[in-house]
Amino acid sequence: MNYKRDERREFFRIDDSLSLSYRQIPADSLPAAIERLENEVDSDFTVLSSLTAVTQEMTGTLHKIELSSPEIAVYLKSLDKKIEILGRALLTQSTTLLNQPTQAVNLSASGISFQTSRFVEPGSILELKILLMPSYAGILCFAEVVGCDGVEADPSGRTHRLRTNFLNIRGRDRDVLIQHVIQKQGAQLRKAREALELSGGG
């Protein structure tokens, strides 16, 4: 594994739009909360994230199958799609995040910042639920508040910019998050390049 390359990817930052919720938890309850997250079977909220991680792990094998047996590859992709549909159905039953508007965030595999309606003391520990778009991969993790500054209110009336660093995030969820950031960054770079070419600057 190329650790230096993965570390660089981990700290790519992007502006994104997603659904999230958070709640503050006492610092002394964090070890038990982390243990539950690491040891419990996936909840309905996190099942799509785990499925996405498995799909990413299968990418290389599936590519080989496509080269040797295209029809089998198509069949396997169809099965993957059916499983994804079931995962989304479970997600619909388990969270209200699907029904709330997305919000602008700044995101990397090491942390997230977003606007909130109230001041949160730096050093506070948060349980975060993050719903990535358009994959609907749900990530449950814990983060430490490193800053909370008053800013101009956004359209929803949120008046503070909350900055966090992840304290604990499952390995498979971090992999999904890194891949999400890379894909979003690639799409943003392509869009910027196309805009430059249309303006005659390319």
Side-chain angles (χ1 to χ4, degrees), residues 23-41 46 125-128 140-143 167-170 173:
R23 68 182 182 95
Q24 193 168 337
I25 64 172
D28 58 5
S29 70
L30 180 61
I34 290 175
E35 184 176 359
R36 286 195 301 273
L37 178 63
E38 294 290 347
N39 296 329
E40 285 185 354
V41 176
T46 60
I125 307 301
L126 305 181
E127 180 189 80
L128 284 169
L140 175 63
C141 62
F142 300 98
L167 287 176
N168 184 271
I169 181 171
R170 297 184 307 175
D173 289 339

Coordinates of all heavy atoms in Angstrom, one line a residue, residues 23-41 46 125-128 140-143 167-170 173:
R23 N -25.0 15.4 17.5 CA -25.4 15.6 18.9 C -24.1 15.6 19.8 O -23.1 14.9 19.5 CB -26.3 14.6 19.4 CG -25.8 13.1 19.5 CD -26.9 12.2 19.9 NE -26.4 10.8 20.1 CZ -26.0 10.3 21.3 NH1 -26.1 11.1 22.4 NH2 -25.5 9.1 21.4
Q24 N -24.1 16.4 20.8 CA -23.0 16.5 21.7 C -23.0 15.4 22.7 O -24.1 15.1 23.2 CB -22.9 17.9 22.4 CG -21.7 18.2 23.1 CD -21.6 19.7 23.5 OE1 -22.3 20.5 22.9 NE2 -20.8 20.0 24.5
I25 N -21.9 14.8 23.0 CA -21.8 13.7 23.9 C -20.7 14.0 25.0 O -19.7 14.7 24.7 CB -21.6 12.3 23.3 CG1 -20.2 12.2 22.6 CG2 -22.7 12.0 22.3 CD1 -19.8 10.8 22.2
P26 N -20.9 13.5 26.2 CA -19.9 13.8 27.2 C -18.6 13.1 26.8 O -18.6 11.9 26.3 CB -20.5 13.1 28.5 CG -21.9 13.1 28.2 CD -22.1 12.9 26.8
A27 N -17.4 13.7 27.1 CA -16.1 13.1 26.7 C -15.9 11.8 27.4 O -15.3 10.9 26.8 CB -15.0 14.1 27.1
D28 N -16.4 11.6 28.6 CA -16.2 10.4 29.3 C -17.0 9.2 28.8 O -16.7 8.0 29.1 CB -16.4 10.5 30.8 CG -17.8 11.0 31.2 OD1 -18.6 11.1 30.3 OD2 -18.1 11.2 32.4
S29 N -18.0 9.5 27.9 CA -18.8 8.4 27.3 C -18.2 8.0 26.0 O -18.7 7.0 25.4 CB -20.2 8.8 27.2 OG -20.4 9.8 26.2
L30 N -17.2 8.7 25.5 CA -16.7 8.4 24.2 C -16.1 7.0 24.0 O -16.4 6.3 23.0 CB -15.6 9.5 23.8 CG -15.0 9.3 22.4 CD1 -16.0 9.4 21.3 CD2 -13.8 10.4 22.2
P31 N -15.2 6.5 25.0 CA -14.7 5.2 24.8 C -15.8 4.1 24.6 O -15.6 3.2 23.7 CB -13.9 5.0 26.1 CG -13.5 6.3 26.5 CD -14.7 7.2 26.2
A32 N -16.8 4.2 25.4 CA -17.9 3.2 25.3 C -18.6 3.3 23.9 O -19.0 2.3 23.3 CB -18.9 3.3 26.4
A33 N -18.8 4.6 23.5 CA -19.5 4.8 22.2 C -18.7 4.3 21.1 O -19.2 3.7 20.1 CB -19.8 6.3 22.1
I34 N -17.4 4.5 21.1 CA -16.5 4.0 20.1 C -16.5 2.5 20.0 O -16.6 1.9 19.0 CB -15.0 4.5 20.3 CG1 -15.0 6.0 20.0 CG2 -14.1 3.7 19.4 CD1 -13.6 6.6 20.3
E35 N -16.5 1.9 21.2 CA -16.5 0.4 21.3 C -17.8 -0.2 20.6 O -17.8 -1.1 19.9 CB -16.4 -0.1 22.7 CG -16.3 -1.6 22.9 CD -16.1 -2.0 24.3 OE1 -16.0 -1.2 25.2 OE2 -16.0 -3.3 24.5
R36 N -18.9 0.5 20.9 CA -20.2 0.1 20.3 C -20.1 0.2 18.8 O -20.6 -0.7 18.1 CB -21.4 0.9 20.9 CG -21.8 0.5 22.3 CD -23.1 1.1 22.6 NE -23.2 2.5 22.5 CZ -22.8 3.4 23.4 NH1 -22.4 2.9 24.6 NH2 -22.9 4.7 23.2
L37 N -19.6 1.3 18.3 CA -19.5 1.5 16.9 C -18.6 0.5 16.2 O -19.0 0.0 15.1 CB -18.9 2.9 16.6 CG -18.7 3.3 15.1 CD1 -20.1 3.4 14.4 CD2 -18.0 4.7 15.0
E38 N -17.5 0.1 16.8 CA -16.6 -0.8 16.2 C -17.1 -2.2 16.3 O -16.8 -3.0 15.4 CB -15.2 -0.7 17.0 CG -14.5 0.6 16.8 CD -14.0 0.8 15.4 OE1 -13.9 -0.2 14.6 OE2 -13.6 2.0 15.1
N39 N -17.9 -2.6 17.3 CA -18.2 -4.0 17.5 C -19.6 -4.4 17.1 O -19.9 -5.6 16.9 CB -18.0 -4.3 19.0 CG -16.6 -4.2 19.4 OD1 -15.7 -4.5 18.6 ND2 -16.3 -3.9 20.7
E40 N -20.5 -3.4 17.0 CA -21.9 -3.7 16.6 C -22.0 -4.0 15.1 O -21.3 -3.5 14.3 CB -22.8 -2.6 17.0 CG -23.1 -2.5 18.5 CD -24.1 -1.4 18.8 OE1 -24.6 -0.7 17.9 OE2 -24.5 -1.3 20.0
V41 N -23.0 -4.9 14.8 CA -23.4 -5.1 13.4 C -23.9 -3.8 12.8 O -24.5 -3.0 13.5 CB -24.5 -6.2 13.4 CG1 -24.9 -6.4 11.9 CG2 -23.9 -7.5 14.0
T46 N -25.9 2.7 8.5 CA -24.6 2.6 8.0 C -24.4 1.4 7.0 O -23.3 1.2 6.4 CB -23.6 2.3 9.1 OG1 -24.0 1.1 9.8 CG2 -23.5 3.5 10.1
I125 N -17.2 17.1 22.1 CA -17.2 15.8 21.3 C -18.6 15.6 20.7 O -19.6 15.8 21.4 CB -16.9 14.6 22.2 CG1 -15.6 14.8 23.0 CG2 -16.8 13.3 21.4 CD1 -14.4 15.1 22.1
L126 N -18.6 15.4 19.4 CA -19.9 15.2 18.7 C -20.0 13.8 18.1 O -19.0 13.3 17.6 CB -20.0 16.2 17.5 CG -19.8 17.7 17.9 CD1 -19.9 18.5 16.6 CD2 -20.8 18.2 18.9
E127 N -21.2 13.3 18.1 CA -21.5 12.1 17.3 C -22.1 12.7 16.0 O -23.1 13.4 16.1 CB -22.5 11.3 18.0 CG -22.9 10.0 17.2 CD -24.1 9.3 17.9 OE1 -25.2 9.7 17.7 OE2 -23.8 8.3 18.5
L128 N -21.5 12.4 14.9 CA -22.0 12.9 13.6 C -22.6 11.8 12.8 O -22.1 10.7 12.7 CB -20.8 13.4 12.8 CG -20.2 14.8 13.2 CD1 -18.9 15.0 12.5 CD2 -21.2 15.9 12.9
L140 N -21.5 7.1 10.4 CA -21.6 7.4 11.8 C -20.2 7.5 12.4 O -19.4 6.5 12.3 CB -22.4 6.4 12.5 CG -22.6 6.6 14.0 CD1 -23.3 7.9 14.4 CD2 -23.3 5.4 14.6
C141 N -19.8 8.7 12.9 CA -18.5 8.8 13.5 C -18.5 9.8 14.6 O -19.5 10.4 14.9 CB -17.5 9.3 12.4 SG -17.9 10.9 11.6
F142 N -17.3 10.0 15.2 CA -17.2 10.9 16.3 C -16.1 11.9 16.0 O -15.1 11.6 15.3 CB -16.8 10.1 17.6 CG -17.8 9.1 18.0 CD1 -17.6 7.8 17.7 CD2 -18.9 9.5 18.7 CE1 -18.6 6.9 18.0 CE2 -19.9 8.6 19.0 CZ -19.7 7.3 18.7
A143 N -16.3 13.2 16.4 CA -15.5 14.3 16.0 C -15.3 15.2 17.2 O -16.1 15.3 18.1 CB -16.0 15.0 14.8
L167 N -12.4 12.1 15.4 CA -11.7 11.3 16.4 C -11.7 9.9 16.1 O -10.7 9.2 16.4 CB -12.3 11.6 17.8 CG -12.1 13.0 18.4 CD1 -12.9 13.1 19.7 CD2 -10.6 13.2 18.7
N168 N -12.8 9.4 15.6 CA -12.9 7.9 15.4 C -13.9 7.7 14.2 O -15.0 8.2 14.2 CB -13.4 7.2 16.6 CG -13.5 5.7 16.3 OD1 -14.5 5.1 15.9 ND2 -12.4 5.0 16.6
I169 N -13.4 7.0 13.2 CA -14.3 6.7 12.0 C -13.8 5.3 11.6 O -12.6 5.0 11.5 CB -14.1 7.7 10.9 CG1 -15.0 7.4 9.7 CG2 -12.7 7.9 10.5 CD1 -15.1 8.5 8.7
R170 N -14.8 4.4 11.3 CA -14.4 3.0 11.0 C -13.5 3.1 9.7 O -13.7 3.9 8.8 CB -15.6 2.2 10.7 CG -16.5 2.0 12.0 CD -17.6 1.1 11.7 NE -18.4 1.5 10.6 CZ -19.5 0.8 10.1 NH1 -19.8 -0.4 10.7 NH2 -20.1 1.2 9.1
D173 N -15.5 3.1 6.5 CA -16.1 4.3 6.2 C -15.1 5.4 5.7 O -15.5 6.2 4.9 CB -16.8 4.8 7.5 CG -18.0 4.0 7.9 OD1 -18.6 3.3 7.0 OD2 -18.5 4.0 9.0

